[in-house]
Amino acid sequence: MLLKKIAHYLIMGLFCFTANFSMAQDQRVADSLVHIYQENKLEGIDKLKLLDELSFNELNDQILQIKYADEMIVLAKLNNDSLFLYRGYYSRGVGYQRQGELNKAISDFFRSLKIANNIKNKNSIGWEGTSYMSIGSVYNNMGNHVNSEKYYSIAIEKIRITKDSISLGSVLLNAGDASFNNNQYEKALQYFEEAGIIFENIGFKIGTAYNLGNIGMVYAEQGKDVIAEKNINEAILILEEIKDYYPISVYLTYMSEIYLRKKDYITAFNYAERSLELAQKYNLIEQIRDANHNLFELHELTGNYKDSNIFLKNYYIYRDSIVDIKTVEELADLRTKYEIEQNQKEANLKIAQKQIEVDLLDQQKKNQQLISLAIGIGLLLIIIVAIGLYRRNNFVNKAKLLVEKEKEKSDSLLLNILPEQTAEELKYKGKVQAKRFESVSVMFTDFKGFTQNSANLSPEKLVESVNYYYSKFDDIIDKYGLEKIKTMGDAYMCAGGLPFPTKDHPIQMVEAALEIAAFVNESKKTDPDAMSRFDIRIGINTGPVVAGVVGKKKFAYDIWGDTVNIASRMESNSEPGKVNISDNTYQLIKDQYQCSYRGEIDAKNKGMMKMYFVEGILQNQTSNAGV
C-alpha cells in the first residue's frame, strides 16, 4: 500500500551529485526556499539547483511540485544540462504518480531512464536504478506483481553496485511493499528487516518512519494489532515532525481498521476522519478514495445508512477519477512498438542507401561503355549524338524551369497554411509527426456582438470587415514572431513558442495582444459611423500543448491540450478592449507589465481560476515592439 509514493520520497538526489542537494526530503526546506523563488533573481545553474530543491522537498502540493519540475525541464533544455533534465522528468513523474496520473508518471520515468542510459558516467548506474525502481512502483500500483518484481530486482542489482546506503534501503523498502501487496508477508518482512538495519545505522529518519509504518501494516494484516499499532504510532510521530502527510493519511486508515476489528467504533471513526481530513487538505486522490470507503463501512456497520450512502457515493466518484491502469500498460506497449519501428526505419534506410550506391556504380559502367562505343563509331555519329544532346538539353532546361516555377507556387501556398518546419516535414515524409511543446503561449480573440451586428450587414460588407481586422492581426503576429493557428468565424487563434521553442513567447504574445486591442479601439475612432466596426475580447494562457497536422486534404496545422482550452476560457471571461490572462501567463510576465488581479472567476468546465487584466508595461521597462 505505502509503495504508492515511498520510492519518490527517498530516492531523488541521492546518487553522488556534486551540487549541494538535500539528502532527505523535508517540507520545511521547500517552505524556506519559496521566498527565494518568488524573488526570481537566480539564473542558469543556480536557478536549476533551486527548482530541484523545491520539487524534491515539496511533499504536500503535487500541482506545485509538477510546476517546479516543468520549469526545471525547460531551463535544463535551454542550458543543455542532462543531469537536471533527468531530475526534472523524474521529479515530475513523482508528482504525477502522487496525483494518480499513472500514464503521465510512467512516461516521465521512461524519459529519465533514457537520459541516464545516454549519459554513461560514474553516477549514471545509480540514476538508472532509481528509474527502474520507479517503474516498478507504478506496476505495483497497477497490481502487476510480475513486472513489479522484475523492475525492482533490476533496481536492487544496480543500486547495490553504487554502495549508496539510503538508496539501497529505499529500494528494499519498496520491494518489501510490493511483496506485502501480493500477500507475501514473510518475504516483505525480510526486505523491511534489511532496510531497517540500513536506515538505523545511518540515522535516516524518514526511511526509519516508512519502515516502521510498513512493518506495522504487515502486522495489522496478520491480526497482530498491538505491535502493529505500536509501529504505526512511532512512524506517525516522525512523519508529523517533518510534515510528510501522505503516509500519515495511509497509516491512519490502517489504525482505523485495527480499532474496527476491536469493535471500538469511536476510535475507528476518529482515525478514519483524520485520514480523510489530511487527504482532502493535500488533494491526495487515492487516499481520499480509501478514506471514504473506510467511513462507508464504519457507518454501515453502526447502522447509519444515510451517511454510509454519502461516503459510498464519494468513494465511487474518486475511484472513477483515477486514471485506468490499462492506459499505463498500453502506453508501455506503444513505447516498445515505437522503438521497434524506429529501428526498422533505420535498417531500411541503410538498405536503401546501399542500393543507391550499387545503382550508381552500374550506371557509371554503362556510361563508360556508351562513351567507348560512341568514339568507335566515328565523327559522324558523334555529331549526330551531339545534336541530339543539344536538343535534349534545351528540352530538359525548359522542363526544369517549368517544374521550378510550379514548385515555388506549391511551396508558397504550403508555407501560407503551415509553419516552415512543418511544411518541410510534410513534403519530405508525406506526413507530420505530432510534437509536444512544454511551454507555449496561446491567444484567442473574439468580436463582441458579432452575430447580432453581422445580421445588419451584407455578406460582402461582412467579409470586407473581417478581412480588415484579420489582415492587420496577421501583420502584428508576424511582427512579434508568433504563429497564426486558425480563424473560426469571428474568432482568431495564434500561438507563441512553436514550432521553435523560445524564452520570451509570453512577453511577445502580450505585446501583440495590447497592439491588437489598440488597433481595434483606434479603428472605431477613425470610422465611428461604419457598421463594420466592433469591440474585441482577448484571452491568453501559457502551458504545454501538442501540435500537428490533421486530415489528408486541405491540411490544417492545429494545437491541442488543456492549455488551449484555458486560453479560450480567458477570452470568454474577458471584457471588451481588455487583455485577460491566466495565472500561468501572469507569473511569466508580471515583472514587465502592470496587471490588475480580478480574483478567482468560474470558468466553464474548469472551475474557479485566477485571472488578470494587463494594464500596460511597467514604467521601468521598455517595450519589445519591433522585435
Side-chain angles (χ1 to χ4, degrees), residues 224-323:
K224 301 175 182 179
D225 293 342
V226 175
I227 190 170
E229 185 176 349
K230 176 180 179 295
N231 278 272
I232 290 174
N233 279 329
E234 289 180 11
I236 290 175
L237 286 175
I238 298 173
L239 293 167
E240 284 179 337
E241 179 184 347
I242 60 177
K243 298 183 180 180
D244 190 358
Y245 297 112
Y246 183 91
I248 294 176
S249 181
V250 177
Y251 293 145
L252 289 172
T253 300
Y254 267 84
M255 294 295 288
S256 175
E257 292 176 359
I258 291 173
Y259 279 95
L260 178 62
R261 283 198 292 269
K262 296 178 179 179
K263 299 188 183 301
D264 184 348
Y265 298 120
I266 294 177
T267 307
F269 268 113
N270 181 45
Y271 278 118
E273 288 165 354
R274 284 176 59 196
S275 175
L276 180 59
E277 180 183 354
L278 270 179
Q280 289 174 332
K281 182 176 181 180
Y282 298 109
N283 195 31
L284 308 172
I285 303 300
E286 293 181 41
Q287 194 52 31
I288 293 175
R289 174 200 64 189
D290 294 342
N292 272 287
H293 189 269
N294 197 21
L295 285 164
F296 150 69
E297 291 182 333
L298 283 167
H299 281 292
E300 188 173 52
L301 285 171
T302 55
N304 188 353
Y305 298 111
K306 179 180 178 181
D307 287 342
S308 71
N309 288 333
I310 294 174
F311 286 107
L312 180 61
K313 179 181 178 181
N314 290 337
Y315 163 74
Y316 284 128
I317 291 172
Y318 283 95
R319 184 196 66 179
D320 295 339
S321 69
I322 296 175
V323 176

Side-chain angles (χ1 to χ4, degrees), residues 237-471:
L237 286 175
I238 298 173
L239 293 167
E240 284 179 337
E241 179 184 347
I242 60 177
K243 298 183 180 180
D244 190 358
Y245 297 112
Y246 183 91
I248 294 176
S249 181
V250 177
Y251 293 145
L252 289 172
T253 300
Y254 267 84
M255 294 295 288
S256 175
E257 292 176 359
I258 291 173
Y259 279 95
L260 178 62
R261 283 198 292 269
K262 296 178 179 179
K263 299 188 183 301
D264 184 348
Y265 298 120
I266 294 177
T267 307
F269 268 113
N270 181 45
Y271 278 118
E273 288 165 354
R274 284 176 59 196
S275 175
L276 180 59
E277 180 183 354
L278 270 179
Q280 289 174 332
K281 182 176 181 180
Y282 298 109
N283 195 31
L284 308 172
I285 303 300
E286 293 181 41
Q287 194 52 31
I288 293 175
R289 174 200 64 189
D290 294 342
N292 272 287
H293 189 269
N294 197 21
L295 285 164
F296 150 69
E297 291 182 333
L298 283 167
H299 281 292
E300 188 173 52
L301 285 171
T302 55
N304 188 353
Y305 298 111
K306 179 180 178 181
D307 287 342
S308 71
N309 288 333
I310 294 174
F311 286 107
L312 180 61
K313 179 181 178 181
N314 290 337
Y315 163 74
Y316 284 128
I317 291 172
Y318 283 95
R319 184 196 66 179
D320 295 339
S321 69
I322 296 175
V323 176
D324 187 2
I325 291 168
K326 292 292 291 183
T327 304
V328 181
E329 293 177 322
E330 290 169 3
L331 176 62
D333 292 341
L334 286 174
R335 290 181 61 85
T336 303
K337 181 179 178 182
Y338 171 76
E339 291 173 358
I340 293 172
E341 289 175 349
Q342 290 299 106
N343 292 336
Q344 186 61 47
K345 286 180 181 178
E346 292 176 1
N348 292 340
L349 180 60
K350 291 179 181 178
I351 293 172
Q353 290 173 340
K354 290 183 179 178
Q355 185 61 47
I356 291 172
E357 292 173 358
V358 172
D359 292 341
L360 286 173
L361 289 173
D362 290 341
Q363 188 63 43
Q364 288 175 356
K365 290 179 181 179
K366 291 178 181 179
N367 289 343
Q368 290 174 355
Q369 292 173 357
L370 289 173
I371 292 171
S372 299
L373 180 61
I375 293 173
I377 291 174
L379 183 59
L380 180 61
L381 291 178
I382 293 174
I383 294 172
I384 294 173
V385 172
I387 294 172
L389 289 174
Y390 176 77
R391 291 178 177 177
R392 181 177 180 275
N393 187 56
N394 283 342
F395 173 80
V396 170
N397 287 335
K398 291 178 181 179
K400 189 180 294 184
L401 287 173
L402 182 61
V403 170
E404 287 295 329
K405 288 183 179 179
E406 293 302 317
K407 183 176 181 295
E408 289 176 2
K409 289 181 182 179
S410 64
D411 288 349
S412 178
L413 180 61
L414 198 58
L415 289 173
N416 196 38
I417 60 176
L418 297 176
E420 182 177 359
Q421 183 187 35
T422 305
E424 290 297 319
E425 184 178 355
L426 182 63
K427 284 193 297 180
Y428 291 108
K429 294 185 179 180
K431 61 180 181 178
V432 177
Q433 180 73 38
K435 297 179 181 178
R436 177 180 176 86
F437 295 85
E438 297 300 334
S439 180
V440 170
S441 292
V442 181
M443 177 172 72
F444 279 88
T445 75
D446 182 72
F447 294 121
K448 179 187 177 185
F450 179 85
T451 303
Q452 294 84 350
N453 292 330
S454 62
N456 299 322
L457 300 174
S458 66
E460 296 81 2
K461 189 67 176 177
L462 181 61
V463 172
E464 176 186 356
S465 175
V466 172
N467 183 64
Y468 167 78
Y469 285 102
Y470 285 176
S471 296

Side-chain angles (χ1 to χ4, degrees), residues 108-172:
D108 277 347
F109 292 148
F110 272 117
R111 286 174 177 172
S112 69
L113 178 59
K114 184 176 180 181
I115 294 169
N117 287 333
N118 290 336
I119 293 175
K120 298 301 181 188
N121 64 20
K122 65 179 182 179
N123 299 321
S124 62
I125 190 168
W127 304 344
E128 290 176 26
T130 304
S131 298
Y132 277 119
M133 189 189 73
S134 301
I135 295 168
S137 75
V138 174
Y139 279 116
N140 190 26
N141 287 163
M142 293 161 48
N144 188 332
H145 304 298
V146 174
N147 279 350
S148 178
E149 288 188 9
K150 170 187 173 183
Y151 282 103
Y152 277 139
S153 295
I154 297 173
I156 291 172
E157 179 183 349
K158 289 184 175 293
I159 293 174
R160 282 191 191 278
I161 296 173
T162 68
K163 307 296 184 181
D164 188 314
S165 298
I166 295 179
S167 304
L168 179 60
S170 301
V171 71
L172 289 168

Side-chain angles (χ1 to χ4, degrees), residues 6 28 89 129 208 294 379 392 485 513 524 584 624:
I6 182 67
R28 294 169 296 183
Y89 279 125
T208 301
N294 197 21
L379 183 59
R392 181 177 180 275
I485 303 300
K524 293 193 298 180
N584 292 339
N624 291 320

